[in-house]
């Protein structure tokens, strides 16, 4: 009998996730050149250590909290998006910034560092599907819609860090600000001091959670702008009356946590504290006990008493690392099934070794560069974020303390 199996066709998206092919419309870049060491090579740890030692102070390695253990061990600093942006800006002496995170983070590092410094993303396929949900052409079209409704002049654009440099440039050009999960409230306060409403890009959940749960706005003050519908699917009246115009974007990783997962863990583990990232849906954040950035989540667990039980709703690499680091506490993953960020996971030890060894050999691979005009405007929006009052505190508040 002959097999009926038909190999599925590669789509442009599948190829991108595999680090092959290119898509100019995607926030992540293009395929990686060069020969990677095989993942099974026995000496990868020693090779990474040797390459790093050979480069010395010329290289600075930044690691986002969602990175794999095999990579995070080589990070000079680990952090959430906000902390990593600040750390990149604070290393003028490092010739090379190797960014173990995703594409939009490396772009922001390039914008915040000097022209003499090179930012390297070990795998260009490490993008962010949420960032891809807001393309510059779509956002420009949305701004036209707002202008036609007579509200663009009284709207301040605010973009989550998880957006392309193009979008940050747009926001900078229109007098707005970037925010991260650790300073969204402060960014929105700043924006509402300057306008009647906010266009919040691209994460509807962070926007809604911050506006409604943290700032006390009414759910009806928020409208959802769908870039795939004419006029965003909204009437001019809706746009005029809205305080928050939320872009229809989301994180597919955090979107997996549901109210059911919260209720199930509460039944299973009496007394458990549910701690989630603000990219989770509104009903999940509402049902949780605490919400905060990845840096906040780490600090909350470090400060927790021995014997306490925690169900954490964020990416699995971080939750697993916390469980290993705190064996005296009961730490569990909020969802029953595995939930990695596939693009964050693109950065593995072979890619890191390859990027570092190429630098030792005098070759810069996978450099991330932002064109000067975009960078100038994006920098204005990033600098505004870094200057927000209280921006030195990279933590969010316990949800129970909100409004
Ligand atoms: P943090 O800024 O909390 O690290 O979040 C970044 C991110 O991409 C979460 O999905
Ligand atoms: Fe993007 Fe979500 Fe991955 Fe964060 S976890 S990098 S928002 S896809």
């Amino acid at each position: 009998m002959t097999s009926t199996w038909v190999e599925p066709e590669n789509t442009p998206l599948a190829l991108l996730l595999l680090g092959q092919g290119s898509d100019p419309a995607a926030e992540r870049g293009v395929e990686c050149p060069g020969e990677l060491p095989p993942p099974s090579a026995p000496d990868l740890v020693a090779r990474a250590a040797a390459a790093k030692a050979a480069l010395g102070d010329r290289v600075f390695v930044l690691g986002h909290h969602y990175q794999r253990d095999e990579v995070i061990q080589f990070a000079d600093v680990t952090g959430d998006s906000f902390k990593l942006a600040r750390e990149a800006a604070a290393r003028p002496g490092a010739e090379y910034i190797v960014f173990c995170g995703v594409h939009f983070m490396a772009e922001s590092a390039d914008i915040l560092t000097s022209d003499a410094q090179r930012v390297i993303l070990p795998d260009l396929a490490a993008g962010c599907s949420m960032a891809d949900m807001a393309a510059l052409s779509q956002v420009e079209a949305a701004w036209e819609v707002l202008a036609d409704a007579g509200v663009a002049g009284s709207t301040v654009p605010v973009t989550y860090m998880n957006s392309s440099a193009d979008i940050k440039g747009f926001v900078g050009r229109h007098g707005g600000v970037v925010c991260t999960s650790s300073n969204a409230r402060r960014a929105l306060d700043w924006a509402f001091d300057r306008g009647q409403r906010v266009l919040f890009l691209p994460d509807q959940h962070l926007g809604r959670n911050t506006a409604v749960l943290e700032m006390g706005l009414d759910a009806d003050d928020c409208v959802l702008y769908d870039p795939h519908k004419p006029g965003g699917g909204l009437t001019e009246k809706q746009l005029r009356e809205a305080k928050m115009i939320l872009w229809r974007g989301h994180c597919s990783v955090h979107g997996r946590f549901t109210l059911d997962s919260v209720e199930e863990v509460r039944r299973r583990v009496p007394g458990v504290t549910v701690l989630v990232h603000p990219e989770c849906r509104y009903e999940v954040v509402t049902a949780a006990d605490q919400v905060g950035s990845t840096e906040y989540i780490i600090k909350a667990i470090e400060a927790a008493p021995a014997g306490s039980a925690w169900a954490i709703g964020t990416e699995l690499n971080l939750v697993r690392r916390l469980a290993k680091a705190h064996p005296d506490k009961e730490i569990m993953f909020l969802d029953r099934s595995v939930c990695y960020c596939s693009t964050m996971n693109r950065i593995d030890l072979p890619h890191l070794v390859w990027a570092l060894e190429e630098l030792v050999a005098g070759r810069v691979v996978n450099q991330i560069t932002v064109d000067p005009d975009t960078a100038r405007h994006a920098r204005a929006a990033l600098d505004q974020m870094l200057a927000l009052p209280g921006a030195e505190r990279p933590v969010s508040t316990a949800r129970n303390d909100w409004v």
Side-chain angles (χ1 to χ4, degrees):
M1 203 172 106
T2 52
S3 165
T4 54
W5 170 252
V6 180
E7 193 61 39
E9 275 178 35
N10 270 322
T11 61
L13 178 65
L15 285 172
L16 276 180
L17 288 169
L18 292 168
Q20 299 160 12
S22 67
D23 177 1
E27 178 266 349
R28 67 185 74 102
V30 294
E31 64 189 287
C32 294
E35 288 285 310
L36 292 183
S40 55
D43 53 350
L44 287 176
V45 171
R47 282 171 65 177
K52 236 190 126 203
L55 290 162
D57 290 344
R58 294 172 66 206
V59 71
F60 194 71
V61 181
L62 296 170
H64 186 265
H65 293 310
Y66 293 163
Q67 292 289 296
R68 300 156 178 259
D69 289 355
E70 69 191 41
V71 167
I72 214 86
Q73 63 181 320
F74 292 106
D76 294 305
V77 163
T78 60
D80 62 7
S81 314
F82 178 74
K83 182 173 165 191
L84 294 178
R86 271 202 331 194
E87 289 287 342
R91 304 286 154 184
E95 202 176 325
Y96 308 120
I97 304 279
V98 174
F99 211 117
C100 299
V102 288
H103 191 260
F104 69 79
M105 297 179 180
E107 279 188 330
S108 297
D110 180 55
I111 293 164
L112 290 167
T113 49
S114 76
D115 289 348
Q117 293 175 285
R118 320 270 202 108
V119 176
I120 290 136
L121 183 65
D123 185 346
L124 295 178
C128 167
S129 52
M130 177 203 285
D132 281 346
M133 290 176 193
L136 180 60
S137 56
Q138 292 174 318
V139 175
E140 283 174 341
W143 200 252
E144 289 283 309
V145 169
L146 267 58
D148 290 346
V151 299
S154 52
T155 302
V156 179
V158 177
T159 189
Y160 189 24
M161 183 68 109
N162 299 25
S163 56
S164 68
D166 282 346
I167 300 299
K168 294 186 180 86
F170 173 92
V171 167
R173 262 193 293 276
H174 291 87
V177 64
V178 175
C179 74
T180 71
S181 55
S182 61
N183 57 26
R185 162 85 199 250
R186 292 192 288 275
L188 286 182
D189 283 342
W190 179 91
F192 280 117
D193 282 346
R194 281 154 186 84
Q196 287 171 27
R197 72 187 67 67
V198 162
L199 171 64
F200 193 88
L201 305 154
D203 185 11
Q204 57 166 303
H205 299 303
L206 178 66
R208 186 180 297 104
N209 290 332
T210 310
V212 178
L213 295 175
E214 206 171 346
M215 299 173 76
L217 263 67
D218 209 89
D220 292 342
D221 292 330
C222 304
V223 293
L224 196 57
Y225 185 97
D226 185 342
H228 301 290
K229 288 189 178 157
L234 297 168
T235 63
E236 292 196 350
K237 183 169 181 290
Q238 283 176 306
L239 288 170
R240 275 197 300 275
E241 289 176 0
K243 292 207 171 86
M244 285 288 282
I245 302 171
L246 303 168
W247 193 260
R248 194 183 188 112
H250 66 274
C251 167
S252 44
V253 179
H254 290 88
R256 297 195 34 171
F257 300 111
T258 60
L259 186 54
D260 273 357
S261 15
V262 178
E263 287 170 351
E264 191 276 329
V265 81
R266 288 204 194 282
R267 276 194 303 275
R268 194 161 39 90
V269 188
V272 69
T273 302
V274 178
L275 169 55
V276 301
H277 194 277
E279 285 174 18
C280 291
R281 299 172 214 207
Y282 177 76
E283 65 268 24
V284 172
V285 174
T286 307
D289 300 299
Q290 295 187 28
V291 56
S293 76
T294 54
E295 192 76 8
Y296 174 81
I297 289 171
I298 292 169
K299 290 198 160 91
I301 298 300
E302 280 169 359
S308 54
W310 296 78
I312 305 181
T314 196
E315 209 262 357
L316 186 53
N317 276 316
L318 173 57
V319 181
R320 183 184 290 128
R321 200 152 46 235
L322 282 170
K324 269 200 229 158
H326 298 275
D328 59 327
K329 298 160 200 174
E330 196 188 342
I331 293 173
M332 63 214 86
F333 192 57
L334 181 57
D335 199 52
R336 283 288 203 176
S337 53
V338 171
C339 181
Y340 288 112
C341 172
S342 60
T343 45
M344 279 274 180
N345 268 269
R346 292 292 317 181
I347 312 287
D348 57 8
L349 202 44
H351 281 89
L352 180 60
V353 166
W354 170 67
L356 291 172
E357 288 183 347
E358 289 291 309
L359 289 178
V360 174
R363 291 184 293 267
V364 178
V365 291
N366 287 8
Q367 186 181 347
I368 301 299
T369 48
V370 177
D371 77 79
D373 186 54
T374 303
R376 189 163 59 86
H377 293 292
R379 172 132 201 175
L382 280 163
D383 280 345
Q384 187 52 64
M385 173 188 81
L386 293 169
L388 288 172
E392 70 285 353
R393 291 195 310 274
V395 292
S396 186
T397 47
R399 201 191 68 77
N400 287 342
D401 296 338
W402 288 6
V403 289

